[in-house]
């Protein structure tokens, strides 16, 4: 970012906020005991409040003046989501407050991008935790194949629209598969950068 050195670690409070945000984003791997709603968690309100405080009271101007195209996409995504209260009110007479609450619940996760840019954290640090979360996801997904009909993690707890058996495997639809694919692509990319053909072939087979 404009020649600024990227950090390879975060302070303990920042690390807790970052990890907690990721865990809420995947509903703690769709843990049934916690019963976190992926389509509108109540944790969105305090998290967005904390994010806004971090961004509003930031004294640095370097990260704000930096031009990054992806940030523009996220900004307009958030803005248009919040502006949706206008047609919702005009066409459906939906409460403005209800619309704003829904906008917060559906956009809170996007604020993490701006927080990470503010903290100037390097990609490898972020990926380290995404890989850890992904490994846990894989362990849960495979482990519950052997414990079914007893299970503790699923994105579809409803009996009528819940666990499905496809191609000999139980599908639990655990939240976090997006991170798994990102982690897989990242690791394959690292292997592809090596000149060792065995590493490249191994990544392809996996």
């Amino acid at each position: 970012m404009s020649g600024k050195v990227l950090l390879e670690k975060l302070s303990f409070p920042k690390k807790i906020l970052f990890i907690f945000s990721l865990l809420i984003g995947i509903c703690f791997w769709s843990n049934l005991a916690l019963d976190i709603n992926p389509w509108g968690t109540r944790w969105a309100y305090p998290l967005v409040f904390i994010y806004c405080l971090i961004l509003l009271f930031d004294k640095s101007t370097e990260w704000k003046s930096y031009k990054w195209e992806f940030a523009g996409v996220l900004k307009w995504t958030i803005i248009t989501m919040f502006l949706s209260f206008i047609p919702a009110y005009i066409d459906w007479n939906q409460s403005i407050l209800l619309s704003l609450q829904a906008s917060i619940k559906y956009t809170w996760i996007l604020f993490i991008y701006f927080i990470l840019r503010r903290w100037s954290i390097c990609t490898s640090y972020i990926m380290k935790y995404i890989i850890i979360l992904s490994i846990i996801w894989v362990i849960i997904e495979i482990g519950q194949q052997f414990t079914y009909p007893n299970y503790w993690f699923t994105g579809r707890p409803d009996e009528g629209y819940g666990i499905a058996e496809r191609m000999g495997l139980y599908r639990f639809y655990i939240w976090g598969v997006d991170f798994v694919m990102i982690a897989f692509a990242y690791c394959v990319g690292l292997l592809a950068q090596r000149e060792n053909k065995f590493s490249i072939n191994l990544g392809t087979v996996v």
Side-chain angles (χ1 to χ4, degrees), residues 43-114:
W43 285 102
Y45 303 124
L47 287 173
V48 167
F49 179 74
I50 294 173
Y51 298 156
C52 289
L53 286 180
I54 294 173
L55 297 174
L56 289 175
F57 290 94
D58 174 34
K59 301 298 183 181
S60 174
T61 59
E62 181 177 355
W63 74 279
K64 296 177 182 178
S65 61
Y66 187 74
K67 303 297 182 181
W68 5 293
E69 295 180 2
F70 189 66
V73 175
L74 288 184
K75 285 179 182 178
W76 282 109
T77 300
I78 295 173
I79 291 173
T80 52
M81 181 69 76
F82 276 88
L83 289 178
S84 65
F85 79 88
I86 299 176
Y89 178 76
I90 296 175
D91 296 336
W92 304 98
N93 198 30
Q94 179 171 290
S95 166
I96 295 178
L97 178 60
L98 183 61
S99 296
L100 294 177
Q101 289 176 336
S103 298
I104 292 175
K105 288 182 177 181
Y106 281 101
T107 61
W108 72 271
I109 195 70
L110 301 180
F111 284 84
I112 296 179
Y113 176 82
F114 299 101

Side-chain angles (χ1 to χ4, degrees), residues 191 194-204:
L191 290 175
R194 300 183 178 182
E195 296 182 358
N196 190 330
K197 292 184 178 181
F198 174 78
S199 300
I200 298 177
N201 293 332
L202 177 63
T204 304

Side-chain angles (χ1 to χ4, degrees), residues 3-202:
K4 187 174 182 179
V5 177
L6 297 177
L7 301 177
E8 295 185 359
K9 62 180 180 179
L10 292 173
S11 62
F12 183 74
K14 292 180 179 179
K15 183 186 298 185
I16 292 298
L17 177 61
F18 171 59
I19 296 175
F20 184 72
S21 298
L22 294 181
L23 290 174
I24 289 296
I26 62 173
C27 306
F28 281 80
W29 301 279
S30 303
N31 185 280
L32 290 174
L34 297 179
D35 191 26
I36 300 175
N37 181 5
W39 304 113
T41 173
R42 62 181 180 273
W43 285 102
Y45 303 124
L47 287 173
V48 167
F49 179 74
I50 294 173
Y51 298 156
C52 289
L53 286 180
I54 294 173
L55 297 174
L56 289 175
F57 290 94
D58 174 34
K59 301 298 183 181
S60 174
T61 59
E62 181 177 355
W63 74 279
K64 296 177 182 178
S65 61
Y66 187 74
K67 303 297 182 181
W68 5 293
E69 295 180 2
F70 189 66
V73 175
L74 288 184
K75 285 179 182 178
W76 282 109
T77 300
I78 295 173
I79 291 173
T80 52
M81 181 69 76
F82 276 88
L83 289 178
S84 65
F85 79 88
I86 299 176
Y89 178 76
I90 296 175
D91 296 336
W92 304 98
N93 198 30
Q94 179 171 290
S95 166
I96 295 178
L97 178 60
L98 183 61
S99 296
L100 294 177
Q101 289 176 336
S103 298
I104 292 175
K105 288 182 177 181
Y106 281 101
T107 61
W108 72 271
I109 195 70
L110 301 180
F111 284 84
I112 296 179
Y113 176 82
F114 299 101
I115 298 300
L116 295 177
R117 293 294 308 209
R118 164 63 190 94
W119 290 342
S120 300
I121 191 66
C122 65
T123 302
S124 59
Y125 182 90
I126 299 173
M127 289 307 307
K128 178 177 69 174
Y129 287 99
I130 290 181
I131 290 172
I132 292 173
L133 296 181
S134 300
I135 292 174
I136 296 175
W137 186 96
V138 172
I139 292 174
I140 293 173
E141 184 73 26
I142 295 177
Q144 290 190 149
Q145 299 293 326
F146 300 96
T147 63
Y148 187 83
N150 296 316
Y151 55 90
W152 303 268
F153 302 86
T154 176
R156 294 182 178 178
D158 181 27
E159 291 294 334
Y161 190 61
I163 310 303
E165 185 178 357
R166 296 179 180 176
M167 296 184 292
L169 295 174
Y170 297 109
R171 306 290 178 168
F172 297 99
Y173 305 101
I174 301 172
W175 280 71
V177 65
D178 315 77
F179 285 164
V180 175
M181 298 308 298
I182 293 173
F184 175 75
Y186 179 78
C187 292
V188 170
L190 292 180
L191 290 175
Q193 293 176 3
R194 300 183 178 182
E195 296 182 358
N196 190 330
K197 292 184 178 181
F198 174 78
S199 300
I200 298 177
N201 293 332
L202 177 63

